[in-house]
Every structure is written in structure tokens, then in C-alpha cells.
Amino acid sequence: MNLEKLVYDYDQQGTNYAGYRRTDPRIARYVFEALGDAQTIINVGAGTGSYEPKDRYVVAVEPSATMRSQRRARGAVPAVNAWADALPFDDQAFDAGMAMVTVHHWPDFRHGLQELRRVTRGNVIVLTFDPDALDSFWTAEYFPELIEAERRRYPKPQDILEALGEGGQIIPLPIPLDCIDGFQEAFYGRPEAFLIPEVRQAQSAWGFLAEGVEERLVQRLADALKSGEWDRKYGHYRNMPTMTGSLRLIVSESEA
């Protein structure tokens, strides 16, 4: 099965996304600092509005009707129905651009990032995960098929930076123990969360597993938690205030 050719259908599978994928204020501080003093911002692949600053002029771009409807419930600005690789805006129309945990869904991430750079005068901020660091904690043991699905979907951070065509930096971000943005690593010290179907439904990688694999992986973790195996091996994660795993903030700095 060629995972790169598959597309996660947010209209069918993302109906409860906003309830579990929320702006974590500790991660948001890094995002807002990277945006600098930009007053006009385009957010591409904007989803339900996570990490959009409330005190700036934001234009959101989101092709999924389900995601756009959840923006209204969250109080985010309405989103333009468009795709990353064909942005309906003039060159350098915005002070800054952002793409928050979305580029791995784009059919051609390089083209989409080039479009994002085209319409942006200043910094472009990309929040993503480094595929080479996805197996840095305990999910590699209990969810190996899930990690492989993720690794094949995420572009390498350096490739993202090169696609944006400017100088910049790749910043590893610490994840807080009580992170409220429900991506996989947010639950590094709360493994019981993976037993909740709605939590998994807000993590797109589960949708790329072959039939029956999700149930098998979840049962493996449930058995390890019940027997005490997980806590014997990894219980120290429950008390780690932060973990730096694969979460990366990529900041492409314009030379203009």
C-alpha cells in the first residue's frame, strides 16, 4: 500500500477534531514569537483555527467543509475554501504566513509551500513533526505500524525549509505533560488517552492503518497498562514536565 498516495478525509473523519486539537498556550508562545510584529497573516491548511493569533488580521485557508464549520463553533474567523497549491491571493499580500501541522496532508507540499512563500512578505512559520524522530519514545514499541505510517507522510524539516527558498531555522519544541493539543506526543505521560476512540479519531495517522491493526495496537497497550508492564518500563514519563520529541517549528525568514 502506497501511503503517500492516500489522503485523510477530514470531511468524513474529522467531525470531533476541534474538541481534542486545541491551541496549547505554551506551544503558541513559540509560534507567536516567530510571527514577530506581523499584522496580516495567512494561515494555510488552517483546520479549526489552532494557533491563530486573536490580535492580528488572519486570513484562513481550509478546503474541508467539516473543518470550516468547526471554526465557527470555536469562534475563529471564517475560512476561504481553497487549496495550498493554488492560493487566490496576490504576491506578497501578507506580512507573515503559517501552516500548523498540515503540510503532510498536502498532495504536493513543495508546491504548496512555494505558494505560501509567494503570498508572504515576511516570515513563514510551519509547525510539523520530524519523521526521523518519531520513534523517540514509547509509542515505537506499542504502535510500530502507526509510527511507520507517520514517517512515510511527514516531509523532513530541511526539505520544508528548502522548499520555502529562504534562510531560517528548525526549532525542536518541548511538549508539556498536560498539553491540550491532542497530537500523539501530547499524551507521552498519559497513555490511557489512547484507549479513547475520540482521541485517536483526532490523530489522522490511525486512518492509514490496515483493517484490524488499530484494534490490535490499542489492545496491546491496554494489556500493558492493566498488567503494569507499561508503568514498569515507562512510568517515569508520567512525571516528566516536558518532553522534546519530534515536534518542530520551522521558521523561514524572508530576506526582504
Side-chain angles (χ1 to χ4, degrees), residues 133-141 147 184-189 194 234 237 243 245:
L134 287 170
D135 58 358
S136 61
F137 79 120
W138 59 264
T139 52
E141 176 178 349
I147 297 302
Q184 291 175 42
E185 290 182 352
F187 300 107
Y188 69 85
F194 286 105
Y234 301 111
Y237 279 99
M243 182 193 77

Side-chain angles (χ1 to χ4, degrees), residues 7-252:
V7 176
Y8 189 75
D9 187 348
Y10 276 104
D11 284 329
Q12 294 295 321
Q13 298 168 285
T15 54
N16 294 316
Y17 191 86
Y20 291 92
R21 300 300 297 271
R22 295 175 287 161
T23 298
D24 187 276
R26 280 95 23 126
I27 296 173
R29 283 197 290 269
Y30 290 93
V31 174
F32 297 162
E33 181 179 353
L35 289 172
D37 60 0
Q39 293 302 304
T40 60
I41 299 167
I42 181 171
N43 185 17
V44 177
T48 62
S50 292
Y51 302 103
E52 291 176 2
K54 304 298 185 183
D55 59 345
R56 324 280 184 95
Y57 181 83
V58 176
V59 172
V61 174
E62 173 54 53
S64 165
T66 296
M67 294 292 105
R68 295 196 302 271
S69 68
Q70 291 180 69
R71 294 179 64 85
R72 293 196 297 271
R74 179 178 274 187
V77 298
V80 176
N81 181 8
W83 294 85
D85 58 2
L87 296 176
F89 305 106
D90 294 335
D91 293 357
Q92 299 189 336
F94 301 93
D95 294 333
M98 54 193 293
M100 303 287 99
V101 194
T102 179
V103 295
H104 57 294
H105 293 295
W106 299 0
D108 184 342
F109 79 90
R110 289 183 176 85
H111 188 182
L113 290 170
Q114 289 164 2
E115 272 287 272
L116 182 53
R117 169 48 71 197
R118 176 185 66 80
V119 303
T120 303
R121 291 188 292 272
N123 287 359
V124 172
I125 315 303
V126 177
L127 188 65
T128 187
F129 294 91
D130 183 346
D132 292 333
L134 287 170
D135 58 358
S136 61
F137 79 120
W138 59 264
T139 52
E141 176 178 349
Y142 291 99
F143 304 151
E145 293 92 338
L146 189 72
I147 297 302
E148 182 58 26
E150 289 283 65
R151 181 177 289 114
R152 294 183 64 180
R153 295 169 65 219
Y154 280 104
K156 293 180 182 294
Q158 188 59 44
D159 291 341
I160 292 173
L161 198 57
E162 290 176 0
L164 288 166
E166 304 286 349
Q169 54 185 321
I170 301 168
I171 306 169
L173 296 189
I175 302 164
L177 180 61
D178 59 347
C179 181
I180 63 172
D181 189 350
F183 50 82
Q184 291 175 42
E185 290 182 352
F187 300 107
Y188 69 85
R190 297 171 289 162
E192 291 80 4
F194 286 105
L195 307 184
I196 302 171
E198 291 80 7
V199 169
R200 301 194 303 275
Q201 288 167 10
Q203 300 168 351
S204 62
W206 294 95
F208 291 87
L209 298 177
E211 184 177 354
V213 173
E214 177 177 354
E215 292 77 8
R216 175 168 55 81
L217 298 184
V218 171
Q219 188 61 53
R220 177 188 296 171
L221 177 61
D223 292 345
L225 288 168
K226 183 177 181 179
S227 69
E229 173 194 296
W230 188 93
D231 278 282
R232 287 192 298 272
K233 291 181 176 181
Y234 301 111
H236 60 282
Y237 279 99
R238 295 190 187 275
N239 299 310
M240 289 175 55
T242 64
M243 182 193 77
T244 301
S246 64
L247 185 64
R248 301 289 184 266
L249 186 68
I250 300 169
V251 183
S252 169

